[in-house]
Every structure is written in C-alpha cells, then in structure tokens.
Amino acid sequence: AQKVTQAQTEISVVEKEDVTLDCVYETRDTTYYLFWYKQPPSGELVFLIRRNSFDEQNEISGRYSWNFQKSTSSFNFTITASQVVDSAVYFCALSSLYSGGGADGLTFGKGTHLIIQP
Amino acid sequence: EAQVTQNPRYLITVTGKKLTVTCSQNMNHEYMSWYRQDPGLGLRQIYYSMNVEVTDKGDVPEGYKVSRKEKRNFPLILESPSPNQTSLYFCASSPEGGRWEKLFFGSGTQLSVL
C-alpha cells in the first residue's frame, strides 16, 4: 500500500527563520501526484500545490518553495523568512493508481504542526 | 462564490441518536468525499463518490453511510453514533479526475458523541 510520512509532528521556530517540512512517500506507481495542504488555526483546509511524478522541477511561490526528489521519494516544503501567519498544520498527500484496500488512492500524511513564534 | 458548504459546524449528540451531516458544493464537481481528522492520525477517508449514484468505501467506513442522489449533495449519515466517532469531519470535492485534482474542502464539522 502507498504511504506518506511526515516525521515532524511539531516544529517551532522564531519568526523570520527559514523552516523545512519534510514529506517522504511510498508508492509502487510511476504515475502519481503529490500535494500540500495548509490548515490554519481557523480549521479550514487550503490547497497549496500539486506536482505530478514526471515534473521534478522545484517550485517557488513567494516565500514558499517545494523540492521534489524522486530519488529519495521526498517532496519537502520550505518557508523562507517565516511569519506568524504561517502557523498552521501542513499536510502532504499522495495520489496514485495503486492504494490497496478500498480507498481511491489518495493518502494523507499525519501532518506537521508548525508554530511560528513572534 | 465557489464553495463547499457543510452543516452543522458543531454538533453534540448522544450515543445511538441518528444524525446527518450535510455537504453541498456549487462547482458542479463530479468527485466528492468525506474525511475525519483525529489528533495524531491526520486525515482519513471515510467514503468517496466519483459521480451521482456511485459511492465507495474509503479507509474507515465502518459506522457511516453516504448517498449521492444529486451531484451537488453528499450527506454523511451516522445511523447509531458512538463515542469513537467523535471527530472533526471534512467534506471535499474536486472536478472530474477526483483524486488527481486539488480538493476543495468544507469548513468542517466538529462532532462530539457523548
């Protein structure tokens, strides 16, 4: 079965520090998608990025950047010059054809709680 | 405004009392799904629906029912709630392609079963 591991349960940094959230995935498929979602303290879930398995280019969006490395099965998320508003739980997710069981192939990690202290 | 609407936002009930959490989307999305979020366990899928009248089990379907009679609505039914179903529930939808597309989530329903 496929799997998404976010080993960092909680990270706390001081504002303006750079921080990287790790995401390691397992899948037997060669075609798959990876996602990051943000859940701020208000509770809603917000889409951040989607990347397909054939596109290993890194992505940068303002202070956010994502590093996709198939060789290490990782899709890490970096926030540069963190701000208090970045405090949230961040979820990494994997979607592939093979999932095992009865699910539709979309698997979420357990999330990383990021705390940005002023 | 494009959105997924869940109701109620908060719900406290007692064991065994049937309840329904409604979910509606106005984006004409084919795919809809339900998740529960529990501390330390992340998001786990309960049921999903690829289209009208097509539903299938997710990873944790026990104790839940769903129906998809119309494209826009995907209610979650707990016939006989138990305390272990106390959780934060999210409905989500996406365009045709389901799991390949980004998900649009509702605001969540915090359910407490006493």
Side-chain angles (χ1 to χ4, degrees):
Chain A
Q2 63 187 38
K3 187 177 178 182
V4 176
T5 301
Q6 295 181 255
Q8 304 149 310
T9 305
E10 184 174 288
I11 301 174
S12 181
V13 300
V14 177
E15 198 172 22
K16 298 183 182 177
E17 288 185 10
D18 298 347
V19 58
T20 295
L21 281 60
D22 297 332
C23 174
V24 174
Y25 62 92
E26 297 175 26
T27 178
R28 287 161 42 173
D29 281 342
T30 56
T31 302
Y32 52 88
Y33 284 86
L34 293 160
F35 303 81
W36 276 95
Y37 288 87
K38 175 181 180 180
Q39 185 179 40
S42 53
E44 75 274 20
L45 284 152
V46 179
F47 166 83
L48 293 178
I49 190 171
R50 180 184 77 162
R51 173 67 79 225
N52 74 55
S53 54
F54 299 107
D55 182 2
E56 286 194 73
Q57 279 193 328
N58 290 334
E59 176 104 4
I60 298 175
S61 176
R63 295 183 297 105
Y64 294 174
S65 63
W66 291 267
N67 180 261
F68 177 29
Q69 292 195 333
K70 289 177 75 171
S71 60
T72 55
S73 297
S74 64
F75 187 44
N76 296 336
F77 173 31
T78 297
I79 302 175
T80 303
S82 61
Q83 300 177 1
V84 173
V85 293
D86 297 325
S87 296
V89 179
Y90 291 87
F91 291 97
C92 180
L94 164 69
S95 180
S96 66
L97 287 172
Y98 179 79
S99 68
D104 66 349
L106 177 60
T107 301
F108 282 84
K110 295 181 178 181
T112 296
H113 184 198
L114 177 63
I115 302 168
I116 310 297
Q117 299 178 16
Chain B
E1 179 188 356
Q3 60 185 355
V4 179
T5 303
Q6 276 180 247
N7 280 297
R9 184 73 177 86
Y10 300 94
L11 180 58
I12 301 174
T13 190
V14 295
T15 299
K17 186 176 181 181
K18 181 179 178 180
L19 65 91
T20 299
V21 183
T22 63
C23 175
S24 180
Q25 50 92 6
N26 62 0
M27 296 168 279
N28 201 37
H29 285 170
E30 303 283 343
Y31 174 93
M32 297 185 76
S33 63
W34 276 102
Y35 292 87
R36 61 177 289 174
Q37 182 179 4
D38 302 288
L41 297 178
L43 286 160
R44 295 180 293 167
Q45 190 181 58
I46 303 170
Y47 270 93
Y48 66 97
S49 170
M50 299 298 287
N51 210 329
V52 176
E53 301 293 0
V54 180
T55 63
D56 208 344
K57 297 178 181 179
D59 296 309
V60 289
E62 295 77 22
Y64 304 95
K65 286 176 58 177
V66 293
S67 68
R68 187 89 183 275
K69 297 177 182 175
E70 314 165 88
K71 183 182 277 192
R72 63 183 292 125
N73 295 323
F74 191 45
L76 179 69
I77 303 159
L78 284 71
E79 295 270 1
S80 183
S82 61
N84 65 11
Q85 292 178 299
T86 292
S87 186
L88 177 58
Y89 292 86
F90 287 98
C91 179
S93 72
S94 74
E96 184 175 359
R99 64 182 186 272
W100 303 114
E101 308 278 349
K102 74 176 188 179
L103 291 173
F104 294 78
F105 285 90
S107 299
T109 296
Q110 181 64 59
L111 172 65
S112 296
V113 183
L114 305 177

